[in-house]
Amino acid sequence: MEIHMEAQEALRDVQLTRERTADRLVTPRWYHPTLGLAVAAVCLAVGLGTSPTGVAVMLVVCLLAVATMGALVRTYRDRTNVWVGPAQARGSARHWWIGYVVVLVACMAVAVLRGTFDWSYGVNVVAAAVAFVATVVMGRRVDEALRDGIRSGGVQAASR
């Protein structure tokens, strides 16, 4: 009987740890819009074309975007002391991640193909806007699904 009680107490402790971890994984309100701006900027820059000026601008924007994304990840990890990436995503979180990647690939494909098909630069603006909105909306959905997955035990969060 005592072993049974200890096991129940251990399971309660595990659940409490999961809930506390999930509660820590609240992304700041500014995180996804900032990430969305970085992604949209890359989408816009990729569509500038292959002129020397376009390539130079694209490289600078891409470097700034990568630095911004690195700073966002570092800030998130510092604030939460946890990181849950795409590899740990399961269930609906994984579906949201996959959907997000599909949207981003489509937006970047439009940006790359704009010059090939001589489309208006407005097409890139639309693709960048879609990438921004997808980052904000789907990023928040991924977060919610990850927190739910951690609470239920279906997602493992990696400590720093």
Side-chain angles (χ1 to χ4, degrees):
M1 185 69 162
E2 185 176 316
I3 293 174
H4 179 70
M5 296 297 284
E6 288 176 14
Q8 283 184 329
E9 188 175 319
L11 288 173
R12 278 194 301 272
D13 287 346
V14 167
Q15 185 58 36
L16 183 60
T17 300
R18 286 181 185 152
E19 289 175 13
R20 286 181 181 158
T21 301
D23 291 344
R24 281 196 334 239
L25 293 177
V26 177
T27 308
R29 299 284 301 157
W30 49 264
Y31 184 94
H32 290 106
T34 303
L35 179 59
L37 287 174
V39 170
V42 170
C43 194
L44 288 171
V46 166
L48 289 176
T50 57
S51 72
T53 304
V55 171
V57 170
M58 180 182 65
L59 288 174
V60 169
V61 169
C62 287
L63 287 173
L64 289 172
V66 167
T68 299
M69 292 174 197
L72 286 170
V73 169
R74 198 168 35 259
T75 300
Y76 183 84
R77 288 179 73 170
D78 289 347
R79 289 180 76 146
T80 63
N81 220 18
V82 174
W83 177 252
V84 182
Q88 291 88 20
R90 301 286 182 268
S92 65
R94 176 161 288 198
H95 296 127
W96 281 109
W97 268 111
I98 291 169
Y100 176 60
V101 168
V102 168
V103 170
L104 286 189
V105 167
C107 290
M108 291 302 167
V110 166
V112 168
L113 294 175
R114 185 198 73 80
T116 303
F117 292 107
D118 202 29
W119 293 334
S120 161
Y121 191 70
V123 170
N124 270 74
V125 173
V126 171
V130 169
F132 174 81
V133 170
T135 300
V136 174
V137 172
M138 296 175 96
R140 290 181 177 157
R141 297 301 175 266
V142 167
D143 282 356
E144 291 169 10
L146 286 173
R147 284 192 299 272
D148 290 346
I150 289 169
R151 282 188 183 97
S152 70
V155 173
Q156 297 296 317
S159 296
R160 285 185 67 201

